[in-house]
Amino acid sequence: MFDLDRPKIKLKKSTLDHFVEYSTFGLALFSLVYTFVYYNTLPERVPMHFNQHGEVNSYSDKSSIWVLHVIALAIIIGMYYLNPVSYTHQTLPTK
């Protein structure tokens, strides 16, 4: 089922790759800290969805803001660990 004889690709990350990863983690951390600092100043109900005219369709409890951070961190961490995997499943040309 698995072709264990295929060559293993080990790609080194460039400076730009490291910069993008660290800045993404930094922005996520900044967003998390910013929300934590200003959480008490938010109203109890916050708008969560808007229609095409800019009018609020639904409100939610302010604690639902944390769900956005969980989703964002899951995506960021997932992409961080899955990025090298995409290169290991490529078919290499043979002679």
Side-chain angles (χ1 to χ4, degrees), residues 10-94:
K10 289 285 191 180
L11 296 177
K12 288 190 171 194
K13 293 183 179 179
S14 68
T15 306
L16 179 63
D17 291 332
H18 286 293
F19 174 75
V20 169
E21 288 176 354
Y22 294 144
S23 62
T24 302
F25 283 121
L27 287 172
L29 181 63
F30 172 76
S31 174
L32 193 63
V33 169
Y34 187 83
T35 303
F36 183 73
V37 168
Y38 290 104
Y39 184 75
N40 291 332
T41 63
L42 291 174
E44 289 301 316
R45 288 178 9 147
V46 292
M48 292 302 284
H49 191 268
F50 298 88
N51 64 11
Q52 67 270 18
H53 302 294
E55 300 163 348
V56 179
N57 279 348
S58 67
Y59 288 92
S60 184
D61 189 51
K62 72 178 180 179
S63 63
S64 63
I65 289 179
W66 298 111
V67 174
L68 299 174
H69 292 290
V70 170
I71 293 171
L73 286 174
I75 291 171
I76 291 168
I77 292 170
M79 293 303 292
Y80 178 78
Y81 284 109
L82 290 177
N83 187 23
V85 174
S86 65
Y87 295 111
T88 61
H89 295 292
Q90 290 180 354
T91 305
L92 296 175
T94 58

